[in-house]
Each structure stands twice: as C-alpha cells, then as structure tokens.
C-alpha cells in the first residue's frame, strides 16, 4: 500500500511540474521571422532604465485571434500596433487590445471580436516600450 501511495505522489508531482513548465510556454500558432530592435539606455550609474522600439515580422502558423509574446517591459499601447503590411511610410493597422500577464511575463495582443489571422499570412508588430534593467 505504501508503494502505491509513493508512486501516486511521485506521479502527481511530475504532472504538476510538467503543467507548471507548460504554462510558461508560448502557443505555436505564430512564428517570428525577423526582429529589429532599437534600445536607448540610461547612464547605468544612476539610471537603469531603458526605452525602445521593436519591429517583428510574424508568420501565422494556425488561425488565431490572439498573439502571445514573452515580455517583461511596459508597452505603450497608444503607440504600438499590428500591421498587415508595413514599409517606411505605410501601416495598414489592425485594431488590437493589449493585455499583460505579469506572473508569466506574457503580452497578449487580442484582435477585435470576429477578426482572426489566417495561416501563411505575415504581419508586422511594432511595439514601443520602456523598462528597467534587472540587476539580479
């Protein structure tokens, strides 16, 4: 009987651990293809803050209405956008709502109801953000 209880306890621990690891994994419905990142840092002596902007080309793998990214920065929702196509002058913006999950350091970009991104389409995500360098 004690062997069964030990086995079940070990199995529960393994399943719980696997579930915890998976909760930090990103979904596989999108694939980043290109990153361009600009960063401006403080003086490092008295100021560990930074600001930046990223441009990410994203390929849609499975139909989705949410793009999820890892993010530990403060995103400026008013200046960030998801574009159907983008060049130096144009961005055909797709309305998004940005939600953060600080526990898992996720950034969820949710499209308006009824709108979804189709497989094999490319989109461009422009994020404007600020943050603080972690010294741990």
């Amino acid at each position: 009987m004690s062997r069964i209880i030990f086995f079940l306890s070990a199995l529960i621990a393994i399943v719980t651990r696997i579930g915890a690891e998976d909760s930090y994994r990103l979904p596989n419905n999108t694939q980043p293809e290109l990153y361009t990142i600009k960063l401006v840092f403080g003086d490092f002596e008295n100021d560990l803050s930074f600001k930046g902007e990223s441009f990410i080309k994203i390929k849609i793998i499975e139909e989705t209405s949410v793009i999820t990214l890892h993010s530990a920065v403060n995103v400026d929702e008013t200046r960030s956008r998801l574009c159907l196509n983008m060049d130096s002058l144009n961005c055909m913006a797709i309305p998004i709502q940005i939600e953060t999950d600080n526990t898992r350091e996720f950034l969820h970009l949710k499209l308006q109801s009824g709108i979804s991104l189709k497989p094999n389409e490319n989109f461009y995500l422009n994020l404007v953000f600020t943050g603080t360098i972690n010294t741990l």
Side-chain angles (χ1 to χ4, degrees):
M1 182 69 168
S2 63
R3 286 184 183 175
I4 294 173
I5 291 173
F6 175 76
F7 175 74
L8 289 175
S9 298
L11 183 61
I12 290 170
I14 291 170
V15 169
T16 302
R17 187 170 150 213
I18 289 171
E21 289 174 0
D22 286 345
S23 70
Y24 287 87
R25 294 187 58 101
L26 294 173
N28 293 322
N29 55 3
T30 61
Q31 176 182 334
E33 293 198 328
L34 177 70
Y35 290 90
T36 302
I37 300 173
K38 296 188 274 185
L39 295 171
V40 176
F41 295 96
D43 65 16
F44 292 118
E45 214 170 292
N46 301 312
D47 183 8
L48 295 177
S49 67
F50 62 88
K51 60 183 177 178
E53 186 172 10
S54 65
F55 298 90
I56 307 169
K57 181 179 179 183
I58 299 173
K59 181 178 182 178
I60 306 304
I61 304 301
E62 298 172 2
E63 185 171 349
T64 185
S65 59
V66 179
I67 296 175
T68 302
L69 311 166
H70 282 295
S71 175
V73 296
N74 302 309
V75 174
D76 183 342
E77 295 181 32
T78 61
R79 296 176 55 206
S80 298
R81 57 200 176 154
L82 180 65
C83 302
L84 178 57
N85 53 24
M86 192 165 174
D87 59 32
S88 59
L89 300 174
N90 298 320
C91 168
M92 201 162 107
I94 299 168
I96 55 173
Q97 177 184 356
I98 298 176
E99 293 181 4
T100 56
D101 176 346
N102 293 326
T103 303
R104 297 186 297 170
E105 294 185 341
F106 280 177
L107 185 69
H108 302 286
L109 310 170
K110 297 185 174 190
L111 280 68
Q112 289 182 345
S113 179
I115 298 175
S116 64
L117 307 175
K118 307 294 186 222
N120 298 315
E121 290 181 325
N122 290 312
F123 292 87
Y124 299 85
L125 178 60
N126 174 216
L127 295 174
V128 178
F129 54 87
T130 59
T132 304
I133 297 171
N134 186 348
T135 58
L136 296 178

